[in-house]
Amino acid sequence: MSVPRALFPLLSLALLLGLWEVAALWGGGRVLPTPGAVALALAREAESGALVHHLGVTLLRVLAAFVLALSVGVALGVPMGRSLLCDRLFGPWLVFFLNLPALVVIVLAYVWFGLTEAAAVGAVAVNKIPNTIVLVRAGARTIDEGLIEMARVYRMSRLDRLRHVLLPHLAPTIAAAARSGLALIWKIVLVVELLGRGDGVGFQINLLFQTFDVAGILAYSVAFVVVILLLEYGVLQPIERRCSRWRRSHAEA
């Protein structure tokens, strides 16, 4: 008897919870609380209003850093992918920032600009921009030169070529960069909050760590991961499928 495909996520979740329960009973509730204990901690934080506040603040920082990193990354990745001179000139910079530890960027941002919201969001964006540039640059290199030549023959302006030729070609690449960017950005945001902010999920986890409240730490972690997964499956993946639809249609033709 075959299992419906739609049931596999539920079976996977049930298996995870089962293994979690067994590990918690084997290791002791203080070291690893049971799923029930984490659910109670989650309900307690939600009832007090702390969960909604800290989760909302963190999501706003994630959104701000996400938009900034994606915008700058696309703006820099396109010319590096289309211009050999630009790529050779700024390629070493890209390698440097790709290998610069995120913690160093965060600490320097706080030292140079103070413990401000702008420094926090900027530090997160700087850590993601190089990855976005790499993906967009690779996508810009794969465009059919015949399309560019055709646009020149029809005397399309640079802006029209960007809007009607280059950006539609890069849409799947940008969508992929957005998905990978969200996964990276929210992790860095938690570090930024832990080191220098007075609210947010990272700040709250730091407080709970000081009291060894493992159930509370897992409660905030689970809540935040659930929200990110909803954004991933409900927003980013549908956008990526829509952006890639023309490629599938072309391949089928």
Side-chain angles (χ1 to χ4, degrees):
M1 180 177 178
S2 61
V3 179
R5 185 175 180 180
L7 291 180
F8 275 102
L10 296 177
L11 291 174
S12 178
L13 179 60
L15 178 61
L16 175 62
L17 292 176
L19 292 174
W20 182 355
E21 184 76 27
V22 171
L25 294 175
W26 179 74
R30 181 169 178 80
V31 177
L32 178 61
T34 64
V38 173
L40 289 175
L42 187 62
R44 182 184 66 244
E45 293 296 316
E47 185 178 0
S48 68
L51 179 66
V52 175
H53 169 71
H54 292 293
L55 195 59
V57 168
T58 297
L59 287 174
L60 286 176
R61 291 179 181 135
V62 168
L63 179 61
F66 175 81
V67 172
L68 181 60
L70 197 63
S71 302
V72 176
V74 171
L76 297 179
V78 170
M80 288 186 67
R82 299 302 304 158
S83 169
L84 182 60
L85 176 61
C86 185
D87 186 48
R88 287 178 175 175
L89 184 60
F90 297 107
W93 294 23
L94 182 59
V95 174
F96 173 79
F97 282 104
L98 278 171
N99 292 280
L100 187 64
L103 184 61
V104 173
V105 175
I106 295 169
V107 171
L108 288 177
Y110 281 148
V111 170
W112 290 340
F113 306 107
L115 300 176
T116 64
E117 198 67 33
V121 172
V124 177
V126 167
N127 278 295
K128 173 53 189 171
I129 287 172
N131 302 85
T132 304
I133 292 175
V134 169
L135 290 174
V136 175
R137 180 182 64 176
R141 287 173 175 172
T142 62
I143 188 170
D144 187 354
E145 293 299 329
L147 295 176
I148 301 297
E149 185 61 30
M150 181 183 66
R152 293 197 183 100
V153 169
Y154 282 96
R155 298 181 180 180
M156 295 177 66
S157 65
R158 287 182 179 271
L159 181 59
D160 287 336
R161 290 202 300 267
L162 178 65
R163 290 176 53 194
H164 300 295
V165 180
L166 193 56
L167 287 182
H169 173 82
L170 288 176
T173 301
I174 295 173
R179 286 185 60 197
S180 64
L182 182 64
L184 177 64
I185 283 174
W186 77 259
K187 297 172 185 177
I188 301 176
V189 165
L190 296 189
V191 179
V192 166
E193 292 175 342
L194 187 147
L195 292 177
R197 305 310 299 145
D199 51 13
V201 174
F203 169 79
Q204 194 68 6
I205 288 177
N206 187 33
L207 291 183
L208 295 169
F209 164 72
Q210 295 176 23
T211 59
F212 297 99
D213 187 353
V214 181
I217 293 173
L218 290 175
Y220 273 92
S221 302
V222 168
F224 194 63
V225 169
V226 167
V227 173
I228 294 298
L229 287 177
L230 290 175
L231 290 175
E232 166 74 13
Y233 289 105
V235 178
L236 294 181
Q237 284 196 15
I239 291 176
E240 183 178 13
R241 286 194 296 268
R242 184 176 180 85
C243 291
S244 304
R245 186 172 55 188
W246 67 272
R247 287 188 170 180
R248 292 195 300 269
S249 301
H250 178 72
E252 292 172 358

